[in-house]
Amino acid sequence: MEWVDVDAVLFDLDGVLTPTAEVHMRAWKELFTSVLESLPDDSGADRSPYTDQDYFRHVDGRPRYEGVEAFLRSRGIDLPHGTPDDPPEAQTVCGLGNRKNVVFNELLDAEGIEAYPGSVRVLDDLAGRGTEVAVVTSSRNGPHVLRTSGLADRFEVVVDGGVAAEKGLRGKPEPDTYAYAAELLGVPVERCAVVEDAESGVRAGAAGGFGLVVGVDRGVGADVLREAGADVVVTDLAELLDGQTG
Ligand SMILES: [Mg+2]
């Protein structure tokens, strides 16, 4: 199906509408730097400074608590797992994961975030054509990111990590969250486009029988996105307007 023919577009958020990945990276850095600095001298752990390499090796792409666990293990730090209800002060894997979320939200409030200009152009164009839109994100921070970036008013349907947990929907690469958004919009999946920058998200779109899967290459690589099932790969959403797709 062609981009201009779809009745609804389901957008991933981080990396598709907003450049949020960098904020997540900085939140992790702030968290782990403070963890390492607070260790006593005789802890026996590797207290060398946290770097971006730690991020790519242990945290990137993993669910939040698993990322915490992997990093701590790499430094010889042993903390109890705890539970997802742990407060952000708790010295547990879950507590640290929850604290990362607090830091992320603080950074967002302090510095704001601007949507990708090309993505805003596409949203304007779709609004002008009366095409339905929704946001589908694994993150529980979705509504906060949408408000901060000024995009919240454009989306009546937002399926985020909180909605997924509440409804018992499986996460990407399963298509459940995208399918649920299509259902809420009242549009059959074969009339919907999915727009994704992550391999797992593209797989979700391909697995769900959606009419069009658009991969946005923000660094993952066009080949990887095509391999995962993207029908079209762009580096900026505005290419969809200019017809520079391929
Ligand atoms: Mg993304």
Side-chain angles (χ1 to χ4, degrees), residues 5 10 24-25 36 49 52 68 92 119 123 132 135 143 147 171 178 182 197-198 202-203 208 220-222 228 231 237:
D5 296 328
L10 315 175
H24 283 289
M25 277 181 76
L36 294 171
D52 286 349
V68 173
T92 62
S119 303
L123 290 173
E132 302 275 3
V135 165
R147 277 195 307 279
Y178 275 114
D197 69 317
V202 167
R203 286 194 191 286
V220 168
D231 300 306
L237 265 62

Side-chain angles (χ1 to χ4, degrees), residues 31-97:
L31 172 76
F32 286 133
T33 300
S34 79
V35 167
L36 294 171
E37 284 172 355
S38 67
L39 288 172
D41 285 342
D42 60 357
S43 66
D46 173 2
R47 294 194 298 160
S48 54
Y50 174 87
T51 66
D52 286 349
Q53 202 160 15
D54 286 309
Y55 174 81
F56 289 116
R57 195 169 297 163
H58 306 297
V59 179
D60 189 21
R62 287 207 166 105
R64 203 189 312 156
Y65 302 138
E66 287 174 33
V68 173
E69 206 140 44
F71 172 72
L72 294 179
R73 199 182 314 121
S74 77
R75 297 306 186 96
I77 303 169
D78 195 22
L79 289 183
H81 188 78
T83 70
D85 312 330
D86 284 356
E89 309 80 44
Q91 288 300 315
T92 62
V93 168
C94 291
L96 292 184

